[in-house]
């Protein structure tokens, strides 16, 4: 769903987004619920569970056309031998666009980084290409930058606990 305020368009190798839908129900929602329950219980250390192994590769671009060009090059060079799922668009409707691709392991993350780098080079684009944990938001609000996380990470910003609980309640409705 997109609007002048921004929005995201999901994509996946499967046109019915089967893996995306499955991941939301079998991985994302249980992970969010796990964090929510730990915060309600007042835990001082958060067991990251699946969030510790969840990654996203992000290509920051200047337009929707650039997003589509990257995805076309990816399709031509790497599909059908690879399975990919993610989204493209913007959070706030600014001119900056992004492709966000999901990865479930570090190996998959690294392969996607290489493949996206190849796509950028093929198009002659010099754009930011980064990776981070898949659910950096909301976890970073509590645990600090993701690069410092461990499987069991201490809550470093307890003052954000109530705000994150409210955020998670909205997601779980």
């Amino acid at each position: 769903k997109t609007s002048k305020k921004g929005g995201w368009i999901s994509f996946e190798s499967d046109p019915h987004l089967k893996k995306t839908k499955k991941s939301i129900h079998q991985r994302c929602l249980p992970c969010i619920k796990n964090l929510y329950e730990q915060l309600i219980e007042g835990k001082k250390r958060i067991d990251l569970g699946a969030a510790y192994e969840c990654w996203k590769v992000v290509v920051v671009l200047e337009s929707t056309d650039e997003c589509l060009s990257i995805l076309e090059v990816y399709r031509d060079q790497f599909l059908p031998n690879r399975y990919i799922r993610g989204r493209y668009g913007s959070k706030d409707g600014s001119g900056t666009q992004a492709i966000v691709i999901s990865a479930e392991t570090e190996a998959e993350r690294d392969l996607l980084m290489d493949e996206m780098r190849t796509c950028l080079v093929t198009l002659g684009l010099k754009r930011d290409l980064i990776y981070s944990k898949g659910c950096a938001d909301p976890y970073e609000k509590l645990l600090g930058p993701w690069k410092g996380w461990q499987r069991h990470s201490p809550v470093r910003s307890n003052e954000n606990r109530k705000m994150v609980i409210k955020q998670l309640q909205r997601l779980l409705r």
Side-chain angles (χ1 to χ4, degrees), residues 9-23:
I9 297 172
S10 294
F11 62 87
E12 183 177 327
S13 297
D14 181 315
H16 301 288
L17 303 175
K18 288 180 184 173
K19 197 168 184 180
T20 297
K21 291 173 186 175
K22 183 178 179 181
S23 181

Side-chain angles (χ1 to χ4, degrees), residues 75-166:
R75 177 199 63 208
D76 295 344
Q77 292 192 19
F78 300 105
L79 296 180
N81 298 325
R82 291 270 293 124
Y83 199 95
I84 186 173
R85 66 184 179 91
R87 63 187 190 268
Y88 70 91
S90 71
K91 186 175 185 178
D92 59 9
S94 67
T96 302
Q97 301 284 307
I99 297 173
V100 180
I101 305 168
S102 302
E104 294 184 8
T105 66
E106 286 185 43
E108 183 182 15
R109 176 203 69 196
D110 293 344
L111 180 59
L112 285 165
M113 288 290 290
D114 289 342
E115 292 169 345
M116 286 294 118
R117 195 171 293 110
T118 297
C119 292
L120 287 167
V121 168
T122 298
L123 291 171
L125 296 174
K126 294 184 180 188
R127 303 290 185 264
D128 289 338
L129 174 63
I130 59 172
Y131 65 85
S132 70
K133 293 289 188 184
C135 286
D137 179 20
Y139 286 90
E140 283 187 330
K141 293 174 184 169
L142 299 162
L143 309 177
W146 68 266
K147 289 182 180 180
W149 298 356
Q150 301 298 319
R151 284 200 176 278
H152 294 85
S153 292
V155 174
R156 290 192 164 87
S157 300
N158 199 49
E159 66 276 8
N160 292 335
R161 184 180 294 260
K162 287 182 183 177
M163 173 188 60
V164 172
I165 288 172
K166 287 180 183 177

